[in-house]
Amino acid sequence: MLIAVLAALIKSIFILTAGLVIATVLTWAERKESALMQDRIGANRASILGIRAIGLIHIIADAIKMMTKEDFIPPAGNKFLHGLAPVVTFFCSLAVLAVIPFGDNLFGIPLVVANIDVGILFVFAFGSIAIYGTVLGGWASNNKLSLLGGMRAAAQLISYELALGVSIIGLIMVYGTLSLSGIVVGQGELLWGFLPKWGIFTQPLGFLLFFVAAYTETKRDPFNMPEGESEIVGFWTEYSSMKFGLFFFAEFVEVVVVAMLLTTLFFGGWQFPYLYADGFIFPGGATWNLPHLAVTIIQISTFFIKVIFFCWLQLLIRWTYPRFRYDQVMRLGWKGLLPISLANVAITAIVVLALK
């Protein structure tokens, strides 16, 4: 019992630390990527003892600024809900990390904090609750522009969560489980003896639908309706100090979560092609035996390399496309993604039944 509790604690610390560190670095990476695309240097002024470290010191400067700024609460606002809103958003974003497997096992210990059979439902549940923080933040500020931003966030969530959920049904049909660990294990098989049975190959349309819908849930350009700086300013207009910092940081945690879900559901998670518990078994029969620890290190490294790639891809999209109009975002969700996701479910069902 003590060993199980200790293992769960260590795994929790590891995945939380990894998620937070990646999210922290993304605050710097986004500045640098936007600067690169706009032909400028980007953040590089902050320094410690003259050391600028290509702008990484700005991460520390941002943290100091957030912690030392005045914590302003609108006099007519709801003080309790005003403080609760960013905490809800941040906590729910982090909670999703608990069910994401980042490896197979280490000496028999599953490398996932909570290996539950309905991991996908857990993700959707906490993803839905997170939007309450955005809506509460807009309402508790007693500012009509903030409230409008919160309502936009709620409308956007409803519009795209339907397509998000339906896009996963085809994947569940193929792998026959709601467990994220089970889906990853299923992707370790081979199609036609050489092609990894990753979700991107079994559900290519589902991947595109899930990617667009999940990216929209992060509320980043070109789907930045809840903020819309040039229109309504947004739901966090009346926030400052660490409350604003939690909203701001939660956005990058959501980017990491989306990257982890894409990796887990469609790109084999911790699976490395032809790597099994005892080492590599290549098509044709060639083998390369490896110790268990080496296999585990490769699997964990594989998982985080994929995650970092999808984080980079989301930053690239953020700084490539201009923000859509509100009506365009709504039309894409209801008249575009949802009908196509339903068609994908029907096609997948026919193919699965035909192959049985």
Side-chain angles (χ1 to χ4, degrees):
M1 183 65 179
L2 179 60
I3 295 177
V5 172
L6 183 61
L9 179 62
I10 293 173
K11 289 186 292 184
S12 301
I13 293 174
F14 177 81
I15 192 64
L16 281 174
T17 301
L20 291 174
V21 167
I22 295 174
T24 301
V25 174
L26 286 180
T27 64
W28 165 83
E30 177 148 81
R31 293 180 178 183
K32 282 297 185 179
E33 184 156 349
S34 65
L36 179 65
M37 298 183 72
Q38 297 168 2
D39 194 24
R40 54 188 178 82
I41 296 175
N44 73 330
R45 298 294 181 87
S47 65
I48 296 179
L49 300 177
I51 300 175
R52 295 185 176 182
I54 60 173
L56 285 171
I57 307 301
H58 276 263
I59 296 175
I60 301 174
D62 286 339
I64 295 173
K65 178 184 71 174
M66 295 295 180
M67 290 185 289
T68 55
K69 288 182 69 175
E70 178 187 0
D71 181 15
F72 174 78
I73 301 176
N78 187 305
K79 295 183 179 180
F80 174 72
L81 294 181
H82 189 271
L84 179 64
V87 176
V88 170
T89 299
F90 185 69
F91 172 78
C92 291
S93 300
L94 283 181
V96 176
L97 299 177
V99 296
I100 297 179
F102 53 91
D104 187 6
N105 69 84
L106 180 60
F107 302 116
I109 301 175
L111 295 181
V112 56
V113 177
N115 191 16
I116 57 179
D117 294 333
V118 289
I120 291 180
L121 297 183
F122 183 92
V123 170
F124 283 120
F126 274 91
S128 300
I129 294 173
I131 199 64
Y132 281 85
T134 303
V135 176
L136 283 176
W139 183 83
S141 297
N142 196 34
N143 180 308
K144 60 184 179 181
L145 296 180
S146 298
L147 179 60
L148 181 57
M151 293 300 99
R152 280 190 172 189
Q156 187 167 310
L157 171 81
I158 294 171
S159 300
Y160 283 84
E161 195 163 74
L162 282 172
L164 186 68
V166 176
S167 68
I168 292 297
I169 295 177
L171 201 72
I172 297 171
M173 290 181 181
V174 173
Y175 298 107
T177 179
L178 290 169
S179 168
L180 293 177
S181 296
I183 291 175
V184 174
V185 171
Q187 293 179 80
E189 301 175 9
L190 295 179
L191 295 170
W192 307 298
F194 73 94
L195 185 67
K197 194 179 177 181
W198 289 1
I200 184 64
F201 300 124
T202 60
Q203 283 285 289
L205 182 57
F207 164 72
L208 293 175
L209 293 167
F210 183 86
F211 187 20
V212 174
Y215 181 82
T216 304
E217 297 291 298
T218 65
K219 307 180 293 295
R220 292 164 59 81
D221 285 341
F223 302 101
N224 189 14
M225 296 300 104
E227 298 165 32
E229 289 88 348
S230 61
E231 301 173 8
I232 62 172
V233 182
F235 64 92
W236 56 22
T237 304
E238 302 289 353
Y239 279 88
S240 62
S241 187
M242 277 306 297
K243 291 178 183 175
F244 170 82
L246 284 177
F247 270 132
F248 178 75
F249 197 50
E251 183 175 294
F252 287 97
V253 173
E254 289 172 356
V255 170
V256 176
V257 168
V258 169
M260 288 185 175
L261 290 175
L262 289 169
T263 298
T264 300
L265 296 173
F266 295 98
F267 281 84
W270 43 261
Q271 297 278 6
F272 191 96
Y274 316 127
L275 178 64
Y276 299 90
D278 298 326
F280 287 96
I281 302 177
F282 300 100
T287 62
W288 179 16
N289 293 328
L290 292 172
H292 173 71
L293 184 59
V295 171
T296 302
I297 292 174
I298 293 174
Q299 290 173 342
I300 295 175
S301 301
T302 298
F303 174 79
F304 282 106
I305 288 172
K306 294 174 184 177
V307 168
I308 291 171
F309 168 78
F310 281 113
C311 287
W312 167 81
L313 182 60
Q314 291 179 78
L315 296 188
L316 183 66
I317 294 172
R318 160 72 174 83
W319 291 101
T320 300
Y321 294 98
R323 181 158 46 84
F324 297 150
R325 292 197 318 265
Y326 182 70
D327 62 302
Q328 292 173 327
V329 173
M330 293 295 104
R331 187 184 308 118
L332 176 62
W334 289 107
K335 296 184 178 181
L337 296 187
L338 184 57
I340 297 174
S341 60
L342 290 171
N344 181 62
V345 171
I347 295 170
T348 302
I350 294 171
V351 173
V352 170
L353 287 175
L355 294 177
K356 281 190 175 181

